[in-house]
Amino acid sequence: MNARERLVASAQDLLWERGYGGTSPKAIQERAGAGQGSMYHHFAGKAELAVAALTRTAEAERERAEAVLGGDGGALERITAYLRRERPALRGCPIGRHAADPDLVADPALRAPIEETFAWLRGRLAALVASGQRDGELREGPDPDAIAAAVVAIVQGGYVLARASGSQRSFDEAIEGAVQLVAALAR
Amino acid sequence: MNARERLVASAQDLLWERGYGGTSPKAIQERAGAGQGSMYHHFAGKAELAVAALTRTAEAERERAEAVLGGDGGALERITAYLRRERPALRGCPIGRHAADPDLVADPALRAPIEETFAWLRGRLAALVASGQRDGELREGPDPDAIAAAVVAIVQGGYVLARASGSQRSFDEAIEGAVQLVAALAR
DNA sequence: GTCTATATACAGATAGAC
DNA sequence: GTCTATCTGTATATAGAC
């Protein structure tokens, strides 16, 4: 891996762990084994490197989600599989954790990968709910967009509960509740 | 309001807006109209002041929640009222936003007010679900603790979606989904 | 209780040599 | 492409006068 790649990979790790405001260029360089000059040669500054790192993290997350959402089974089965996918909740969500950072949220270039990931995920889940309703698998009353937003929110909120309590158990409990609630959508 | 109170109130505002890592003692002092000496006279340092501020914010949040959860109506009605309570989602949750900060989460004194708030809220909601089940208002299958965790998580995740998209609408949509899902708990 | 002065470290970059 | 030197500002205090 060349220096540029190592810088992006290191930034991905540190942004996940410490967030944008909590990650210094120096820390990224040290983890990457690259000097100041190398980093500022490849990127205009911290923000530009962070955009590259966040974009790559976002792509990876979408792939992982699609692997479950585009899998076998009916709508309910796939949504449940998405909810139950293993997640190290105490580490926080590599995408969602950035919503808390005011400087990141205020910068459109930094916010874009985060926004787009959730937009895609909500759309993907909403389509799944809608297809389940068309197939007669799910009741027709609930709004697919609203259900999709709620499902994504439960996962994100689960991370918050886990980190607040210092326990993976909190995340698992929220997911279990989500599974029970979603099961009631069945016809 | 004396200097000590102004310092706590200013810290509350800044911690909500910028988080623990993003809030400097200097910024707190300036907003409070107090000098360095004043702050370090009343508090041993940033962490001690933050604990005082977070504790106060946590108390306020619990009161606001109890006002709705301890209100009139059945379990479902009160849970729905809690979900639909007006929230300026783009500002983030004054409690939950801190779950993203690694330094806060790593310090037991700083994390305590956050952890306790969620523990209380989950217990309060679980009791409400359980009482609804005993009364025959709600179906008996779902686990009250899991449903409570999911409800709290949806609210927290709603904040994440709103800030990620830059739109209150995202929060409202997740809440609407939650209301529709919870409604299916009715017998 | 509050003030001003001082101190050490780090953030985030720029400059120019190699 | 990468290195080292340098720079300005901020973070988070401590010290001692008033």
Side-chain angles (χ1 to χ4, degrees):
Chain A
M1 209 163 40
N2 62 27
R4 193 195 152 91
E5 291 300 304
R6 293 200 312 276
L7 283 162
V8 172
S10 299
Q12 286 185 269
D13 291 347
L14 285 165
L15 287 171
W16 184 4
E17 197 178 318
R18 308 211 31 95
Y20 181 70
T23 298
S24 69
K26 189 179 179 185
I28 297 170
Q29 292 152 203
E30 279 169 2
R31 180 178 287 230
Q36 296 253 97
S38 182
M39 181 191 129
Y40 284 100
H41 170 74
H42 291 290
F43 301 95
K46 172 180 167 176
E48 197 178 293
L49 171 50
V51 169
L54 292 171
T55 300
R56 186 164 304 183
T57 297
E59 287 165 1
E61 287 301 304
R62 259 173 281 179
E63 276 176 32
R64 287 162 55 84
E66 180 58 27
V68 181
L69 293 174
D72 295 335
L76 200 54
E77 199 173 341
R78 288 197 252 170
I79 293 169
T80 300
Y82 172 74
L83 284 167
R84 289 209 166 124
R85 203 186 78 196
E86 196 175 348
R87 292 178 177 95
L90 291 177
R91 292 192 183 170
C93 174
I95 294 297
R97 62 119 51 241
H98 298 294
D101 190 310
D103 295 329
L104 182 143
V105 159
D107 182 332
L110 285 165
R111 183 162 64 80
I114 314 303
E115 175 169 19
E116 288 161 8
T117 300
F118 285 126
W120 174 84
L121 187 54
R122 289 165 66 179
R124 189 71 179 81
L125 281 162
L128 210 43
V129 172
S131 86
Q133 290 178 332
R134 277 195 308 275
D135 295 350
E137 181 192 358
L138 306 180
R139 290 188 295 109
E140 295 218 324
D143 174 28
D145 290 327
I147 299 302
V151 167
V152 176
I154 289 187
V155 173
Q156 291 301 311
Y159 282 111
V160 171
L161 296 186
R163 287 175 60 89
S165 69
S167 162
Q168 170 81 32
R169 178 86 186 85
S170 300
F171 181 87
D172 296 341
E173 199 160 21
I175 294 296
E176 178 55 27
V179 168
Q180 294 181 10
L181 287 170
V182 163
L185 292 178
R187 206 177 247 295
Chain B
M1 210 163 41
N2 62 25
R4 193 195 151 90
E5 292 299 305
R6 293 200 312 276
L7 283 163
V8 172
S10 299
Q12 287 184 269
D13 292 347
L14 285 165
L15 287 171
W16 185 4
E17 198 178 317
R18 306 208 38 91
Y20 181 71
T23 298
S24 69
K26 189 179 180 187
I28 298 171
Q29 292 152 202
E30 277 169 3
R31 180 180 288 230
Q36 296 254 98
S38 181
M39 183 192 126
Y40 284 100
H41 170 75
H42 292 291
F43 302 94
K46 173 179 168 177
E48 196 178 293
L49 171 49
V51 169
L54 292 172
T55 300
R56 186 163 305 182
T57 297
E59 288 165 1
E61 288 300 305
R62 260 172 280 182
E63 277 177 31
R64 289 163 53 85
E66 180 58 28
V68 180
L69 294 174
D72 296 332
L76 200 54
E77 198 172 344
R78 288 196 253 170
I79 293 169
T80 300
Y82 172 74
L83 283 167
R84 290 210 164 122
R85 202 184 79 194
E86 195 175 349
R87 292 176 176 95
L90 290 177
R91 292 191 183 172
C93 175
I95 294 297
R97 61 123 45 243
H98 298 293
D101 190 310
D103 296 329
L104 182 142
V105 159
D107 182 332
L110 284 165
R111 184 163 61 82
I114 314 302
E115 174 169 19
E116 288 161 10
T117 300
F118 285 127
W120 173 83
L121 187 54
R122 288 166 66 180
R124 190 69 179 83
L125 280 162
L128 211 42
V129 171
S131 87
Q133 289 177 332
R134 278 195 306 276
D135 295 351
E137 182 192 356
L138 305 181
R139 290 187 294 112
E140 295 218 323
D143 173 28
D145 289 327
I147 300 301
V151 166
V152 175
I154 289 187
V155 173
Q156 290 301 313
Y159 282 112
V160 171
L161 295 186
R163 287 175 61 89
S165 69
S167 163
Q168 169 82 32
R169 178 85 185 84
S170 300
F171 181 88
D172 296 341
E173 201 160 19
I175 294 297
E176 178 55 25
V179 168
Q180 293 181 10
L181 287 170
V182 164
L185 292 177
R187 207 179 244 298

